[in-house]
């Protein structure tokens, strides 16, 4: 008997498992709406022009690959602070570390928070990004959920959410989706955000805003409003950022964790502890993605180009939502599917049942999650008709 003898086979990751099944599917008409990746009108992951140009600038003055500081590239951390908080929080009150994607930022936050208060529970939305629960549980937390999606009304169960937050113990870590809720696509209104913020402050909860899609709902500015609403009240606020989708830099694993502190001294102490988490986990982060993002955000021309390319991705997703709604209404005139265009971001809770999702897969080669979540950012003019036709068939 060795240390490995009784190791159990872990279940496959449901989304990656879906991609494997998709890859093995030989039908030419197959469509992958499972994984959360934006693809362009040709069905390809885009290489943004701003990224290509930043990359060329970096290549034309190639520096050796030394280690970055533990908390990452300084120009990058400063650019994240500016992008996320604008002038709402002075830079010296922020502890920012470069992260390995949004997931890496969440993991550093989880380890830091668990060390700070091992008895605090974590609350996540029901439903949430499937990795939230696993990641926080693995970091040692007890993870429970607050109501979020109401299937009957196809909207947010806001009263239920607020009640759950009001009933939470002080110190509870609350994970909130800053915009483009994954998996449902339903976001809070600005007024609802204010109410949530006020309950969080009143109850002494610890907010962690997960921002993986800043700029995919309305604009960089508007999508950052919830974060800024929390940042301006003077309580500790944790914000994770991902540039996987907004820069189409999935494989570079580039993101961040920012912590809003009460003063510069607190920020210094917090940063010192975040650096211990990083140091004992992966020592220091990789160079390239941070250099690309810092180059784009630090150059007015490239930044403007990024904003326009991000806007084009957002508008293309919105056009696909309209196309899907219109196609479904054409197929079934009394269908009430306006919810598809009221959702934000890459995902739509389509309202389809597990049986219907299985039929879409088996009979039509259209791959979405059993929960009914489909990635509308993977729709395009070529695959949309087949998707509409198939959904109409399983309705
Ligand atoms: N949080 C949410 C809500 C997400 O949807 C995602 C990505 N799908 C992440 C975090 C992780 O992003 P990354 O790939 O940058 O680790």
């Amino acid at each position: 008997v060795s240390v490995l003898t009784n190791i159990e086979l872990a279940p496959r990751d449901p989304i990656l498992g879906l991609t494997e099944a998709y890859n093995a599917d030989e039908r030419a008409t197959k469509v992958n709406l499972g994984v959360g990746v934006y693809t362009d009108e040709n069905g390809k992951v885009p290489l943004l022009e701003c990224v290509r140009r930043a990359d060329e600038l970096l290549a034309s003055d190639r520096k050796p690959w030394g280690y970055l500081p533990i908390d990452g590239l300084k120009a990058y951390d400063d650019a994240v602070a500016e992008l996320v908080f604008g002038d709402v929080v002075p830079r010296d009150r922020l502890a920012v570390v470069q992260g390995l994607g949004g997931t890496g930022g969440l993991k550093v936050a989880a380890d830091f928070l668990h060390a700070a208060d091992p008895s605090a529970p974590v609350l996540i939305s029901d439903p949430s990004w499937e990795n939230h629960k696993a990641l926080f549980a693995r970091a040692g937390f007890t993870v429970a959920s607050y109501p979020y999606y109401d299937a009957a009304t196809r909207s947010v169960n806001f009263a239920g959410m607020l009640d759950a937050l009001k009933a939470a113990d002080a110190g509870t870590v609350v994970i909130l989706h800053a915009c483009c809720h994954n998996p449902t696509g339903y976001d809070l209104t600005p007024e609802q955000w204010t109410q949530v913020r006020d309950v969080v402050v009143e109850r002494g909860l610890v907010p962690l805003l997960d921002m993986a899609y800043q700029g995919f709902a309305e604009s960089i500015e508007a999508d950052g409003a919830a974060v800024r609403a929390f940042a301006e009240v003077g309580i500790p606020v944790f914000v994770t950022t991902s540039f996987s989708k907004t820069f189409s830099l999935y494989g570079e694993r580039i993101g961040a964790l920012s912590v809003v502190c009460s003063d510069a001294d607190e920020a210094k102490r917090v940063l010192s502890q975040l650096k211990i988490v990083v140091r004992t986990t992966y020592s220091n982060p990789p160079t390239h993605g941070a250099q690309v993002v810092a180059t784009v955000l630090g150059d007015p021309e490239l930044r403007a180009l990024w904003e326009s390319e991000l806007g084009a991705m957002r508008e293309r997703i919105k056009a696909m939502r309209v196309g899907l709604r219109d196609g479904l209404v054409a197929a079934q005139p009394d269908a009430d599917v306006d919810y598809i265009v009221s959702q934000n971001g890459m995902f739509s809770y389509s309202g389809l049942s597990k049986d219907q999702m299985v039929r879409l897969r088996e009979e039509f080669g259209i791959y979405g999650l059993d929960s009914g979540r489909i990635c509308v950012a993977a729709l395009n003019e070529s695959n949309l008709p087949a998707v509409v036709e198939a959904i109409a068939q399983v309705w």
Side-chain angles (χ1 to χ4, degrees):
V1 178
S2 84
V3 65
L4 304 181
T5 309
N6 295 317
I7 296 290
E8 285 178 21
L9 183 65
R12 288 206 303 186
D13 179 274
I15 297 186
L16 299 183
L18 205 64
T19 299
E20 284 167 25
Y22 168 82
N23 289 337
D25 192 324
E26 285 177 357
R27 286 171 284 193
T29 53
K30 66 184 177 175
V31 184
N32 188 356
L33 304 180
V35 61
V37 172
Y38 174 94
T39 50
D40 64 15
E41 57 279 10
N42 302 312
K44 298 271 188 296
V45 174
L47 169 59
L48 299 190
E49 179 61 18
C50 62
V51 166
R52 200 184 59 74
R53 286 198 206 162
D55 210 22
E56 277 174 2
L57 282 174
L58 292 165
S60 69
D61 183 23
R62 182 46 69 214
K63 303 276 197 307
W65 276 273
Y67 284 131
L68 284 182
I70 296 170
D71 48 341
L73 187 70
K74 183 173 183 315
Y76 171 83
D77 290 339
D78 290 346
V80 169
E82 198 277 326
L83 182 72
V84 176
F85 300 97
D87 52 16
V88 170
V89 188
R91 180 66 181 90
D92 67 355
R93 275 181 49 212
L94 293 169
V96 183
V97 296
Q98 185 182 326
L100 307 184
T103 311
L106 286 165
K107 176 63 172 159
V108 173
D111 287 348
F112 171 90
L113 285 164
H114 194 62
D117 183 358
S119 66
V122 167
L123 279 180
I124 62 173
S125 63
D126 176 21
S128 197
W129 179 46
E130 67 285 337
N131 214 7
H132 278 152
K133 181 168 186 205
L135 188 153
F136 283 91
R138 189 77 176 190
F141 285 98
T142 304
V143 181
S145 62
Y146 56 85
Y148 191 79
Y149 178 62
D150 181 35
T153 58
R154 289 224 171 89
S155 62
V156 176
N157 174 3
F158 187 64
M161 174 182 183
L162 220 49
D163 284 347
L165 297 182
K166 283 179 187 159
D169 291 332
T172 299
V173 178
V174 183
I175 314 298
L176 299 156
H177 296 234
C179 67
C180 303
H181 184 266
N182 177 3
T184 68
Y186 294 101
D187 286 338
L188 302 184
T189 64
E191 296 71 35
Q192 289 174 328
W193 272 117
T194 308
Q195 291 185 59
V196 166
R197 193 233 9 224
D198 292 348
V199 170
V200 163
V201 173
E202 237 167 76
R203 298 289 315 152
L205 311 180
V206 179
L208 191 166
L209 287 103
D210 184 1
M211 181 139 74
Y213 306 97
Q214 186 177 10
F216 266 75
E218 290 308 325
S219 64
I220 292 167
E221 177 76 12
D223 296 358
V227 167
R228 292 193 304 274
F230 275 90
E232 100 206 333
V233 284
I235 59 164
V237 182
F238 291 72
V239 182
T240 53
T241 297
S242 166
F243 292 121
S244 300
K245 329 266 154 139
T246 53
F247 272 82
S248 196
L249 278 172
Y250 301 88
E252 280 295 336
R253 311 309 301 134
I254 183 67
L257 165 65
S258 313
V259 187
V260 180
C261 304
S262 59
D263 57 32
D265 175 66
E266 188 175 275
K268 209 169 156 185
R269 287 183 282 115
V270 169
L271 182 63
S272 74
Q273 293 297 333
L274 295 177
K275 284 163 72 173
I276 289 184
V277 175
V278 170
R279 179 72 180 143
T280 56
T281 310
Y282 52 87
S283 196
N284 50 69
T287 47
H288 190 66
Q291 288 174 340
V292 168
V293 172
T295 301
V296 172
L297 293 180
D299 176 299
E301 207 175 303
L302 290 179
R303 180 169 168 142
L305 180 58
W306 173 57
E307 293 197 20
S308 88
E309 294 188 281
L310 178 58
M313 290 195 278
R314 173 174 68 240
E315 294 311 318
R316 205 194 72 77
I317 295 173
K318 287 187 192 283
M320 289 302 107
R321 287 186 181 279
V322 170
L324 180 59
R325 181 206 45 196
D326 292 353
L328 291 173
V329 170
Q332 190 166 311
D334 62 348
D336 180 13
V337 284
D338 273 346
Y339 60 88
I340 294 172
V341 297
S342 74
Q343 299 160 337
N344 285 326
M346 301 188 32
F347 301 111
S348 173
Y349 243 32
S350 62
L352 296 171
S353 67
K354 181 176 176 191
D355 286 351
Q356 290 169 319
M357 297 307 290
V358 170
R359 277 191 66 199
L360 282 182
R361 222 151 44 224
E362 291 179 352
E363 295 174 34
F364 302 95
I366 291 169
Y367 291 75
L369 308 194
D370 284 350
S371 62
R373 187 191 90 168
I374 58 172
C375 178
V376 285
L379 291 173
N380 55 54
E381 298 292 348
S382 314
N383 64 26
L384 186 61
V387 170
V388 167
E389 168 68 18
I391 293 177
Q393 295 282 325
V394 302
W395 256 353

